[in-house]
Structure formats: C-alpha cells, structure tokens
Amino acid sequence: MKGLIPQHFIDELLSRVDIVEVVDRRVPLKKTGQNYTARCPFHEEKTPSFSVNPDKQFYYCFGCGAGGNAIGFLMEYERLEFPQAIDSLATVAGLEVPRERVENPEKVSRRKDLHSLMEQAAQYYQRQLKQHDNSIRARDYLIKRGLSGEIAKAFQIGFAPPGWDNLLKALGDDEESRQLLIDAGMLVSGDNKLYDRFRDRIMFPILDNRGQTIAFGGRVLGDDKPKYLNSPETDIFHKGRELYGLYQARKAVRNLERLVIVEGYMDVVALAQHGIPYAVATLGTATSEDHLRKVFRYCPEVVFCFDGDEAGRKAARRAMETVLPLMEDGRQARFLFMPDGEDPDTQVRAIGTTLFEQQILKATPLEEHFFNTLSSGLNTDSLEGKARLSKLAAPLIQLLPRGVYRELMMDALSQRTGLSSGALQNILEQTTPAPKAEADTKPAAPPPKQKVSAPPIPASKRDPVLYMISLVLLHPSSAAALFEEALPTTDNPYLATLSSLLELLRKRPESSTAMLLGHWQGQPEGEVLTLALSLDKPRYDAEKAQIALQESLQHLRRQNAQRSFQGAVDKLRNANYADLSDEDKENLRALMQQKAQGD
Ligand SMILES: [Zn+2]
C-alpha cells in the first residue's frame, strides 16, 4: 500500500514548479499585464476570464470560479487523483516522491477514516446485492427498470439487507469503528441500542468530485417510510452542495455541453442507462446557488427537469430565481416539464433516447420561461397588464449580472410592454432587487422604495470574513496581525475556515498562497479559499493587507455587537410588558435609550 505524501515534500514541489509552465503546456497562455490569461479550459467561453498569477502561483477563472494551485490544476485538467498529480509534477521537476506511513492525528486523518469507512460500506452493499439471500427482490426491481449490470456497476448500486444490524455486524467490530459509523450517519442510536440506518433498501452511493463515497441514498423495497432516505449531514457530506451523478457525468462526457438536473437518483441512473449520461440530482433539497455554481463550473448550460404538476411548477419558479444571479454571458438555463404523472425515468423508457434528447435540446430557454411565468394570469394586451408585468419583471431582471444577457432581457421586456427602455429604467431604479425565493413564493414585487446603485453581487462577496480570508490567502505574512486577536463568535459560515487558516499559519508561517490552496484541496475549506480568490481587490502589499485585516476585524466586532444588542432589544420588546420584571423593564428602557442615541 502506498503511504501518505509528506507535507514538506508537497511544499517543496510547489516551490519548484511554475504554474505558468504547467498550465501553458496544456492551455496556451497570453501575458496580459502582471498575469497570464487564456480562454478557460473548464467552461465554454468566447473571451478569456481564466487567469494565472505567476507571483502567487495560482489560477482562477472569473467565469466559472475554478481555481487553485498547480496540483489542483493538474487534478482538474487531467482528471488525476491527488497522488497521481504529485507524481506527474515530481517527474517534470526531477524529484522523487517519498511516502510516509504514519498518519497525522488531525482532522484530515479523521476525514480519511470516514472516507475509507464509507468506501467499505459501499463495497459491502454491492456484495449484498450479488450474494444476499434476500437480494433477489432488489435485483428484480433493477431489472424491471431496465438497468444493465454495467450501469449498476458504474453507479456502484448496492443492497442493504432487511434486519437491524447487518452493517453493524459487518463493519462495527470495535468501539472505534462503531463511533465512526455513527459519525458517518450509518448507524443510529436509540433506546441504548445501535442499529443500521439503511434497512431493506437499494443503495445509491453519493460520490464527491473525486469519486469518493461520502454518503448514501436508499430507496425502500418494502412498505417502509420514507420511500427515499439520505445520509444525514456529516463532516464529509453537505447536502446543499452535492449533486448525485456529477462524478459519473464528468467521467462519461469529456467536454460537457450541458447538465440536466432531475429529482431522483433513479432518474439519473435511468437516463444514463438510456445513453443520456449527463443528468444529476439534488439530494432531497431544492436546487441551491452552490449547486448551480458547481454545474456552471463544468458546462455552460443547465436544463432543469420538473414534474408537470403544481409542485413541479413551484420548484421551477424557485429554480428560476436561484439561477438568475448566475446568468453570466455565455451561460444558458432551460426548463423542461414532464407530462403529468411521469418522471424522467418512466418518460425515457416510454419514448426512448432520441425523443427524450430532442426534448432536452428544445427545452424552454430561461428568457421565454421567465416571461411565460410572469405573464400567466395577466392580460398583457391591456395597458394595466403591461404595467403589472414590468413591475414583476424589473426586480428579477435586476438580479442578473450586468452584461449582454441582461440587456437582452431588458429589450425583451420593453418589446412585451411597449415601454421605452428609459421608462423601464425608471421602474428599475424605483425597485430593489427581488428577495430570495421562499418556499412559497408570492409573485408580487416588493414595494418600490430604495434606489439601487450597485450591481447585485452575491452576498458572499461582501462578506467581511471571506474578505479577511482573501487577504490572508494572498498575503500569508499579514496573518500575524491576527494571531493575538480573538475572533468574534458569530454564525458566519466562513469563520471556521478563517480559524483553520490562521491555525495553520501559526504553525507554518512560511506557507505561500499556493501551499495554502493545496492544504485543503478537495475539502470544504478548499472551496472557501477558491471562492475567496474571486474577490477582486486592489494590489495590496503585506503591510496594507495587515491594516485592512485589522479594519475588517473591527468591522466584524461592531457588526457582532450591534446584532447581539438588537437581539436583546427584540427579546425584551417581544415579551409581554406586564410579564417583565422591574429589572427587565429598566434594562429595556436603558437599551432603547442607548439605541436612540446610537441612531
Ligand atoms: Zn472557467
């Protein structure tokens, strides 16, 4: 067995290779100013938004958000696993890769344990599908759905036998492995007993973008509820980010033109069986912005596939509003509705590959779907209907990034309403961008009020913590400014990554940007670092970065203090005044006074 590659070697390798050379050998680069640019190899585009920074030794694409160091580039571009990418770079650099067998006792190794446990579970379930006395029902089910052994193998489909402790007996030999099984969401504890979460189900392993099993989805065979059951959130599985079937789709199609988002695992597998290997499914959640960013990272087009019923229409409305802010020029989103009572699985079996693929190609483009949805129920021949349509459409169009696509949508709105672009501009200026779609979306626009000057940028880009991460990442030596500071406790989603980053730099202050990017390659922290690369900022030096860091920290602290203050006020205000103790009343008066002075 190959051992771990020691960190010091990875650092050494990164300091020896030049990312410009590594990329240029595969994607010819052009020097523009300080950086090098090219058309991005990871998404379709006409004008280059892919850039390589020779000083900091990283690449980043402003179009699709792909980014990382030289190792990450090789992994993505040549679809290599981490050790192979290291081998390949080492060969060029004339270095020999040493291996060490000792595991370091950090989080990383725990994640490794979880990964290897999930892998063992996946293999166990696959064996049961072949061997277990009871598996005939599972195999029958798959055969009836027309699945070949080949596809079942590609998706590593397995079978969790009926009974409460099959997996527990197979993999839970000792206390440590039982704890790991609980942490991985595979065992549930109740009434002082441990039992298997998945029982009598067809098992669909959920793979991350490196093909490692990180969770399972199980479809029931008997009458148990629920019909579909997913792993809970764990250290290695975050529902809102993962897409079932994405790994297989990327493997099956080298240059993905589009990805189809469907609802269930069986839809993904059935479409692959019928020669449509580019479908993915969300895991029991609505399509999120993270999901879509992931999709656009690999191809320029997404096709949403929904059931034709009311629930499907609602989901489509939500998807439309989620995709709008991501519609940069060159991207497309389409909407496809299944006939009532059908899903992609039954539909593709009913009409066959050719017809189904034609439907995908002819699916309604976003611009058309957008106006159809908003006009429904309006008489757009009447003046009133036209006015109403422009009021509904304007705040949503505001969500689109500035660019040609947004201009086209404005033109289309102007054509449909007969209003001049000047008149529409007026309406636009009176409206705020539409709020995020809620589970139950009201079609009405928010009351026109505030003037909007800045283009809508994703909230994360304005995030103070993400900004601090980007400063530390690009100027690692500036982190020293924060070593003695306590970070405020907030629920900011990036705070954990910032702490990890600081912790690492405390231990290894000499780390470079590329080394930091490599440290969390393929892990959630790594995704946050890549996101931080997208923050376009002035060219600071380490000293300016230090000042900016301290300012951001102050800002974060003020924000935090304000929030807890508001929380205290709200709590006292919402309580029944008569129920308040004298002390509470005094506190409330003091807080209100303080607030009045603050305003
Ligand atoms: Zn790109």
Side-chain angles (χ1 to χ4, degrees):
M1 192 198 117
K2 280 185 183 172
L4 281 174
I5 303 163
Q7 186 62 45
H8 69 81
F9 177 78
I10 298 170
D11 292 350
E12 154 105 33
L13 185 62
L14 280 171
S15 60
R16 285 246 202 140
V17 298
D18 181 4
I19 190 169
V20 176
E21 241 169 70
V22 174
V23 175
D24 188 54
R25 201 171 297 148
R26 292 156 179 94
V27 181
L29 292 170
K30 242 170 85 185
K31 183 120 208 275
T32 25
Q34 309 240 14
N35 293 340
Y36 292 82
T37 55
R39 292 224 299 263
C40 178
F42 304 118
H43 84 281
E44 294 283 329
E45 62 174 2
K46 296 208 175 69
T47 50
S49 41
F50 177 87
S51 87
V52 178
N53 183 319
D55 299 335
K56 311 275 177 196
Q57 290 285 308
F58 70 85
Y59 72 95
Y60 186 75
C61 172
F62 289 92
C64 65
N69 62 16
I71 302 170
F73 178 83
L74 262 194
M75 287 173 66
E76 286 291 325
Y77 189 79
E78 303 205 329
R79 294 198 186 165
L80 300 176
E81 291 292 317
F82 186 74
Q84 281 92 51
I86 296 281
D87 280 341
S88 161
L89 280 179
T91 312
V92 178
L95 296 171
E96 185 156 340
V97 186
R99 311 266 178 187
E100 64 187 16
R101 293 203 49 118
V102 255
E103 307 240 319
N104 62 12
E106 282 179 56
K107 236 176 163 182
V108 184
S109 84
R110 213 184 88 82
R111 281 217 180 87
K112 272 180 83 94
D113 290 347
L114 279 177
H115 279 303
S116 103
L117 177 88
M118 293 306 258
E119 192 53 49
Q120 286 173 44
Q123 281 168 12
Y124 168 79
Y125 290 137
Q126 282 175 81
R127 275 200 308 277
Q128 302 313 305
L129 183 63
K130 287 200 197 105
Q131 299 165 358
H132 195 274
D133 295 342
N134 254 308
S135 66
I136 182 82
R137 283 156 51 241
R139 288 201 304 269
D140 267 358
Y141 172 86
L142 296 173
I143 290 164
K144 273 201 196 113
R145 297 287 185 111
L147 294 194
S148 66
E150 209 179 311
I151 284 290
K153 211 172 150 200
F155 285 86
Q156 301 172 31
I157 295 174
F159 172 56
W164 294 91
D165 56 2
N166 292 296
L167 188 72
L168 176 61
K169 277 190 187 141
L171 300 181
D173 315 321
D174 50 41
E175 193 54 44
E176 202 190 331
S177 48
R178 282 193 290 275
Q179 188 55 49
L180 220 47
L181 281 164
I182 296 171
D183 294 346
M186 301 306 290
L187 290 184
V188 182
S189 61
D191 295 338
N192 293 325
K193 262 186 262 162
L194 276 180
Y195 57 91
D196 291 1
R197 177 182 300 271
F198 297 99
R199 304 175 303 276
D200 202 16
R201 284 172 187 268
I202 301 205
M203 299 298 287
F204 299 84
I206 296 159
L207 310 182
D208 66 8
N209 56 6
R210 295 163 69 186
Q212 308 184 99
T213 303
I214 51 172
F216 288 92
R219 190 203 185 277
V220 77
L221 272 173
D223 297 322
D224 263 12
K225 292 269 152 52
K227 197 161 152 197
Y228 293 96
L229 180 68
N230 290 324
S231 293
E233 299 264 319
T234 67
D235 283 358
I236 56 171
F237 175 53
H238 307 281
K239 269 181 216 184
R241 277 209 287 258
E242 301 301 335
L243 287 164
Y244 178 74
L246 181 58
Y247 177 76
Q248 287 89 346
R250 286 173 59 206
K251 253 184 118 171
V253 191
R254 167 122 208 151
N255 282 312
L256 280 168
E257 285 176 54
R258 62 184 61 80
L259 282 162
V260 179
I261 301 188
V262 294
E263 265 175 53
Y265 345 101
M266 264 317 288
D267 296 322
V268 172
V269 178
L271 287 173
Q273 177 70 55
H274 284 85
I276 302 175
Y278 48 85
V280 296
T282 58
L283 297 155
T285 60
T287 310
S288 69
E289 220 174 288
D290 281 341
H291 285 135
L292 292 173
R293 267 206 202 94
K294 215 165 207 179
V295 166
F296 283 130
R297 204 171 149 180
Y298 296 111
C299 66
E301 181 174 318
V302 59
V303 181
F304 296 103
C305 193
F306 294 106
D307 295 351
D309 58 8
E310 183 54 32
R313 295 271 155 199
K314 263 195 182 156
R317 166 88 195 197
R318 205 149 59 215
M320 180 178 88
E321 291 179 21
T322 312
V323 81
L324 283 172
L326 301 174
M327 290 304 293
E328 275 152 29
D329 292 344
R331 292 179 176 173
Q332 179 58 290
R334 292 174 184 274
F335 293 78
L336 177 62
F337 290 93
M338 295 292 107
D340 216 2
E342 305 281 343
D343 54 36
D345 170 26
T346 58
Q347 183 70 356
V348 74
R349 279 187 282 142
I351 66 173
T353 307
T354 315
L355 276 180
F356 196 95
E357 213 159 23
Q358 274 174 17
Q359 292 189 351
I360 292 175
L361 295 177
K362 285 191 303 197
T364 317
L366 173 65
E367 48 278 20
E368 202 178 317
H369 178 76
F370 180 86
F371 287 111
N372 289 348
T373 310
L374 297 185
S375 319
S376 88
L378 298 180
N379 175 8
T380 47
D381 290 333
S382 75
L383 219 57
E384 200 199 328
K386 284 176 177 167
R388 182 115 185 88
L389 176 61
S390 45
K391 285 246 153 112
L392 288 177
L396 290 170
I397 292 180
Q398 285 243 76
L399 291 175
L400 290 165
R402 281 174 195 280
V404 181
Y405 189 75
R406 183 162 154 180
E407 298 292 311
L408 289 175
M409 289 291 272
M410 282 303 284
D411 287 351
L413 180 59
S414 150
Q415 263 172 30
R416 277 166 204 257
T417 56
L419 289 171
S420 69
S421 50
L424 283 174
Q425 200 55 44
N426 269 340
I427 296 180
L428 261 188
E429 276 167 13
Q430 285 163 18
T431 49
T432 45
K436 265 261 164 311
E438 299 291 334
D440 205 353
T441 329
K442 286 179 234 99
K449 207 175 166 189
Q450 200 187 333
K451 234 181 172 180
V452 178
S453 49
I457 25 176
S460 55
K461 287 206 172 186
R462 279 188 243 113
D463 190 284
V465 180
L466 193 64
Y467 177 65
M468 290 167 80
I469 292 175
S470 83
L471 290 167
V472 173
L473 178 60
L474 292 177
H475 308 280
S477 66
S478 71
L482 295 180
F483 286 169
E484 300 304 316
E485 306 277 0
L487 298 177
T489 39
T490 74
D491 53 3
N492 185 296
Y494 306 114
L495 206 60
T497 303
L498 180 60
S499 312
S500 312
L501 196 57
L502 293 174
E503 198 182 311
L504 180 70
L505 279 164
R506 229 178 249 137
K507 271 187 256 161
R508 306 204 331 241
E510 73 295 346
S511 302
S512 67
T513 303
M515 288 174 196
L516 295 173
L517 282 169
H519 191 81
W520 287 284
Q521 182 89 45
Q523 290 169 32
E525 290 92 337
E527 286 184 30
V528 175
L529 295 191
T530 310
L531 186 63
L533 287 179
S534 69
L535 298 187
D536 219 359
K537 74 195 78 48
R539 291 180 190 285
Y540 286 158
D541 53 21
E543 201 183 327
K544 273 197 198 127
Q546 274 207 0
I547 296 168
L549 268 176
Q550 261 148 353
E551 282 171 0
S552 304
L553 183 63
Q554 298 305 337
H555 171 71
L556 197 65
R557 281 186 181 140
R558 272 198 305 276
Q559 213 181 38
N560 210 26
Q562 212 160 7
R563 221 171 269 159
S564 54
F565 172 74
Q566 191 58 46
V569 172
D570 289 347
K571 204 173 137 215
L572 287 172
R573 245 193 207 154
N574 292 336
N576 196 343
Y577 195 76
D579 294 343
L580 292 179
S581 66
D582 286 343
E583 195 189 343
D584 283 339
K585 283 180 192 162
E586 190 45 51
N587 278 342
L588 181 59
R589 260 194 299 277
L591 282 171
M592 299 305 278
Q593 221 161 28
Q594 209 177 322
K595 184 158 165 43
Q597 279 161 9
D599 291 342

